[in-house]
């Protein structure tokens, strides 16, 4: 590792060992050239403050603050910052950048002195059910303080671009080589080996973004189709997930194991609801499904329609009836020249994207001019950073 490169302190809202997604992909690559400290949200309890650190094989150091319960949120965040300050002193980290995923934890930055602040806006978190009313206020402040903003998709870029002078779209990408393993199927995993075909699968978090009514309808009207759901049930009542003889909840799977599951699916699904929580998503699983060689069927999510639907790499359905029709078309197309042509179109798209390319683009902004060299004079800066509140 090049220890001369500034470290990254990452304020994250997702646990490192949760679904392996954007933060994990990016930070494992960042750790190839600089120290990375991935700071999870605190765990509160009846104990003295401490910072539990865990080195990952990737080189990332996962940091979990353990903070005594009962204090105000402001004081708890100041105590988290103190733990981080002690960590930086102990590791002799003299220069670092702050990488923020959750605006709610921005006050932690008040006692830190980063070289620059990066906001990687991977979703519109304020639109999620139960989101803190502080989110919008904290994000406004983060936009005023950030030196560069990245967005997790084009739709999100369109929303955020007017709020900061240095915003860049870096949509969800893919480790194509990893998922391409599914094109040379090995053994079927034991917990789906017994399921008949055809199999239609979804891999990801099961939460308010999924159209559970759509899944129930498909299962009821197409009992011969096996619907496989991989992933944790989060922030919704597990009892709200439809149950049927042909719906199979197999739970969270390790990232390394996903290709072995996808290899034995016939169609990969993006059955998202159309609601506030999905308006700005750019599903990482879209290019992952395509790299695995699966036919993809999605509801009309903006960042799936463009570019995947427009390129003919994914099928888009606007109603439950159309969803079932295009799933049937995908099943009928298996093994035909049309299927090979669709796969070729998908591969042409995937050839232009990878997490390595995404990180290289982000790294160019990290290694670019420092904030004092980049920003406009103070009078203009205030207006530029204020932006219009859309």
């Amino acid at each position: 590792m090049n220890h001369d490169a500034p470290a990254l302190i990452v304020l994250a809202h997702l646990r490192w060992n949760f679904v392996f997604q954007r933060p994990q992909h990016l930070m494992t690559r960042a750790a190839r050239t600089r120290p990375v400290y991935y700071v999870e949200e605190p765990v509160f309890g009846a104990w003295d403050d401490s910072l539990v650190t865990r080195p990952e094989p990737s080189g990332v150091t996962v940091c979990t603050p353990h903070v005594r319960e009962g204090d105000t949120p402001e004081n708890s965040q100041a105590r988290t910052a103190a733990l981080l300050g002690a960590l930086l002193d102990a590791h002799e980290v003299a220069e670092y950048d702050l990488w923020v995923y959750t605006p709610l934890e921005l006050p932690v930055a008040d006692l830190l002195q980063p070289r620059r602040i990066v906001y990687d806006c991977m979703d519109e978190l304020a639109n999620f059910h139960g989101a803190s009313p502080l989110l919008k206020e904290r994000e406004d402040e983060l936009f005023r303080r950030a030196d560069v903003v990245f967005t997790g998709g084009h739709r999100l870029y369109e929303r955020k671009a007017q709020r900061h002078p240095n915003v860049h779209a870096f949509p969800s990408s893919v480790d194509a080589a990893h998922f391409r393993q599914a094109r040379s199927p090995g053994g079927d995993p034991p917990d789906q080996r017994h399921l008949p075909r055809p199999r239609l699968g979804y891999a990801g978090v099961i939460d308010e973004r999924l159209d559970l009514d759509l899944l129930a309808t498909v299962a009821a009207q197409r009992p011969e189709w096996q619907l496989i759901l991989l992933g944790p049930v989060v922030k919704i009542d597990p009892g709200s997930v439809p149950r049927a003889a042909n719906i199979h909840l197999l739970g969270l799977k390790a990232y390394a194991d996903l290709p072995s599951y996808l290899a034995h699916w016939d169609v990969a699904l993006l059955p998202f609801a159309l609601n506030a929580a999905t308006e700005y998503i750019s599903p990482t699983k879209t290019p992952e499904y395509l790299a695995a060689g699966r036919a993809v069927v999605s509801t009309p999510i903006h960042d799936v329609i463009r570019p995947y639907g427009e390129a003919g790499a994914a099928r888009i359905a606007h109603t439950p009836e159309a969803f079932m029709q295009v799933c049937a078309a995908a099943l009928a197309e298996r093994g035909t020249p049309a299927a090979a042509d669709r796969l070729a179109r998908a591969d042409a798209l995937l050839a232009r994207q990878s997490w390595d390319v995404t990180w290289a683009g982000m790294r160019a902004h990290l290694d670019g001019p420092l904030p004092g060299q980049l920003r406009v004079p103070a009078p203009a800066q205030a207006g530029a950073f204020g932006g219009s509140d859309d």
Side-chain angles (χ1 to χ4, degrees):
M1 177 182 294
N2 177 9
H3 291 284
D4 292 331
L8 278 185
I9 310 300
V10 184
L11 299 182
H13 62 294
L14 297 172
R15 299 287 172 192
W16 183 264
N17 286 337
F18 190 54
V19 175
F20 198 93
Q21 52 189 300
R22 181 184 182 93
Q24 290 87 343
H25 280 293
L26 293 173
M27 292 306 116
T28 55
R29 285 158 176 80
R32 296 170 183 170
T33 58
R34 67 190 73 210
V36 175
Y37 300 91
Y38 185 92
V39 184
E40 300 182 326
E41 291 182 329
V43 177
F44 295 96
W47 44 59
D48 292 333
D49 294 354
S50 65
L51 189 66
V52 177
T53 60
R54 182 181 76 252
E56 289 290 312
S58 63
V60 173
T61 299
V62 178
C63 308
T64 307
H66 284 62
V67 176
R68 178 173 290 277
E69 61 190 355
D71 208 342
T72 64
E74 294 77 12
N75 287 344
S76 294
Q77 288 178 315
R79 291 160 69 177
T80 295
L83 291 172
L84 291 178
L87 173 77
L88 296 176
D89 289 342
H91 287 239
E92 298 182 342
V93 177
E95 188 175 43
Y96 57 91
D97 297 324
L98 187 67
W99 186 289
V100 181
Y101 278 111
T102 169
L104 280 178
E105 296 300 322
L106 183 61
V108 172
D110 289 341
L111 297 180
L112 302 176
Q113 295 181 320
R115 186 182 68 145
R116 69 183 83 202
I117 296 177
V118 178
Y119 178 25
D120 188 15
C121 181
M122 61 182 284
D123 216 330
E124 188 65 277
L125 296 177
N127 284 7
F128 281 63
H129 179 71
S132 169
L134 286 174
L135 251 173
K136 186 177 182 303
E137 173 188 327
R138 293 275 170 83
E139 187 181 65
D140 288 344
E141 176 63 19
L142 182 52
F143 270 110
R144 285 190 288 271
R145 296 171 61 178
D147 300 294
V148 59
V149 177
F150 304 135
T151 67
H154 292 294
R155 177 72 165 169
L156 200 55
Y157 171 80
E158 291 167 357
R159 180 170 176 82
K160 304 297 184 182
Q162 301 304 314
R163 299 182 60 189
H164 192 282
N166 194 21
V167 183
H168 307 273
F170 285 100
S172 294
S173 198
V174 64
D175 181 348
H178 178 67
F179 284 92
R180 203 167 278 129
Q181 297 175 85
R183 301 190 189 188
S184 302
D188 202 354
D191 55 350
Q192 76 172 19
R193 189 177 299 157
H194 65 288
L195 300 178
R197 310 291 280 263
R199 299 172 182 172
L200 296 82
Y202 166 82
V205 179
I206 300 167
D207 61 11
E208 66 192 277
R209 293 172 293 180
L210 280 198
D211 190 335
L212 301 178
D213 290 338
L214 172 61
L215 291 173
T217 298
V218 173
Q221 297 195 17
R222 298 284 186 157
E224 73 280 12
W225 292 356
Q226 307 303 312
L227 304 185
I228 299 172
L229 306 179
L230 305 183
V233 178
V234 176
K235 296 192 297 184
I236 61 172
D237 177 6
S240 66
V241 181
R243 299 298 199 271
N246 60 333
I247 295 180
H248 311 279
L249 280 76
L250 302 187
L252 175 63
K253 303 302 176 187
Y255 178 74
D257 295 333
L258 291 178
S260 64
Y261 283 89
L262 272 62
H264 299 278
W265 293 359
D266 300 294
V267 177
L269 304 178
L270 296 165
F272 289 112
L274 302 182
N275 58 30
T278 62
E279 184 176 357
Y280 299 101
I281 63 172
S282 178
T284 304
K285 56 191 62 64
T286 314
E288 292 175 348
Y289 287 164
L290 294 172
R294 299 308 92 189
V296 175
V297 173
S298 178
T299 52
I301 297 299
H302 184 280
D303 279 13
V304 180
I305 295 173
R306 189 184 68 181
Y308 304 104
E310 292 177 352
R315 292 175 168 88
I316 311 296
H318 293 260
T319 67
E321 293 73 21
F323 196 88
M324 288 182 283
Q325 289 171 2
V326 295
C327 284
L331 291 170
E333 192 178 84
R334 288 174 296 173
T336 68
D341 180 63
R342 189 178 296 274
L343 186 60
R345 289 197 294 272
D347 285 346
L349 284 176
L350 298 178
R352 302 196 297 269
Q353 58 180 291
S354 74
W355 285 116
D356 287 339
V357 169
T358 297
W359 173 245
M362 292 176 161
R363 183 179 173 182
H365 292 285
L366 286 179
D367 295 338
L370 287 169
Q373 302 167 311
L374 176 68
R375 286 182 172 172
V376 294
Q381 178 184 325
F385 274 75
S388 60
D389 192 9
D390 55 352

